[in-house]
Every structure is written in C-alpha cells, then in structure tokens.
C-alpha cells in the first residue's frame, strides 16, 4: 500500500476504519475498529470494489485502499 503524507498520517492515527461499497442510495457503509477487520469484510466480496478509509479521532478521513 503506497500512501501520500496525508493518507499515512490518517492511517497512523486512525481510531477506526470504514468500508464503503456501492453508489448513491445503494451505498453500504460498515465501520470497524481495525484495518484488518475492514479488509476481511472487503475481501468477502472478492471484487476489489470496496473502498477502505482511515478515520482519526478528529474526524479526518483518508481513502487508504480498495479491496
């Protein structure tokens, strides 16, 4: 995973991770306490279309990968 400085800062300081799938009203969002839990959920779909975001205590977010 190659992150820019902002993404790396969010990842390093994340208090949770969010996995998002779909578009518009069909969008599904699930929150996880660990990056591995978010990846595990994303990988159940096996299509690399789940976006995983790091979320900091200050509410900063950064897309860190698709899985």
């Amino acid at each position: 995973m190659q992150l820019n400085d902002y993404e790396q800062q969010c990842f390093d300081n994340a208090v949770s991770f969010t996995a998002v799938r779909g578009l518009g009203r069909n969008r599904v969002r699930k929150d996880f306490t660990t990056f591995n839990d978010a990846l595990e959920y994303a990988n159940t779909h096996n299509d690399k279309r789940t976006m995983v975001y790091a979320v900091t205590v200050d509410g900063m977010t950064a897309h860190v990968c698709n899985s």
Side-chain angles (χ1 to χ4, degrees):
M1 187 169 59
Q2 191 168 356
L3 304 175
N4 65 34
D5 290 341
Y6 173 78
E7 293 164 339
Q8 188 66 54
Q9 180 181 1
C10 287
F11 185 83
D12 292 343
N13 295 296
V15 293
S16 66
F17 294 87
T18 300
V20 180
R21 291 183 56 77
L23 296 171
R25 64 186 174 137
N26 294 322
R27 183 163 285 178
V28 175
R29 172 187 163 164
K30 295 205 179 262
D31 297 317
F32 301 91
T33 56
T34 69
F35 179 63
N36 286 336
D37 288 344
L39 282 182
E40 187 176 310
Y41 165 77
N43 290 334
T44 63
H45 300 285
N46 201 31
D47 62 4
K48 304 275 189 224
R49 297 181 78 183
T50 304
M51 299 170 287
V52 178
Y53 294 85
V55 182
T56 71
V57 70
D58 299 323
M60 296 172 60
T61 63
H63 173 263
V64 293
C65 71
N66 279 20
S67 188

